[in-house]
Amino acid sequence: MGYLYYRGLGVAQDQTKALELFREGVRRGDLESRLHLGRAYADDRNAIYNPVLAYAWLKSVENFYRPIIDEQLSMNVLDDAKKALAILKGALTDGEIAKGEELSWTIRQ
């Protein structure tokens, strides 16, 4: 649902609602919600744009990876996060990457 609100697919676009749903997903252990939060923070068109938090959320996908019901889907989410991290890494300083790495282990919502 968060993705639908974020993109305005079949519902009125509401990124605030989408972020709330992504955060709820994270609280419930959803790996894909971590990926979506990382992408949202990486989008420089958003008011919440923060590349260090984006890095932290994307890295947390790898840190907290546990395949669930559909192992292939979980692997796809992990691969997507790694690709987004590789792109983002080129735009960050070593200090920003270190901060993102640190946050990635503790970020929960």
Side-chain angles (χ1 to χ4, degrees), residues 1 7 20-21 39 55 61 63 70 81-82 102 105:
M1 286 296 297
R7 297 286 181 205
E20 289 172 14
L21 290 169
R39 287 182 172 160
Y55 184 93
V61 172
N63 294 349
D70 185 337
K82 286 181 177 182
E102 180 184 328
W105 288 102

Side-chain angles (χ1 to χ4, degrees), residues 13 19 24 26 29 31-32 34 36 40 69 74 79 81 86 95 102 106:
Q13 186 175 25
L19 295 172
E24 179 60 29
V26 169
L31 199 62
E32 194 168 1
R34 289 179 178 277
H36 288 306
I69 297 168
S74 296
D79 289 343
E102 180 184 328
T106 59

Side-chain angles (χ1 to χ4, degrees), residues 15-66:
Q15 292 182 343
T16 301
K17 176 73 173 171
L19 295 172
E20 289 172 14
L21 290 169
F22 294 150
R23 287 184 178 103
E24 179 60 29
V26 169
R27 281 190 286 277
R28 293 174 184 259
D30 180 50
L31 199 62
E32 194 168 1
S33 291
R34 289 179 178 277
L35 173 65
H36 288 306
L37 278 168
R39 287 182 172 160
Y41 280 107
D43 184 350
D44 63 2
R45 297 169 293 172
N46 284 332
I48 64 164
Y49 173 70
N50 184 323
V52 174
L53 278 178
Y55 184 93
W57 280 111
L58 293 167
K59 184 67 177 173
S60 78
V61 172
E62 184 177 344
N63 294 349
F64 295 100
Y65 175 77
R66 285 174 195 74

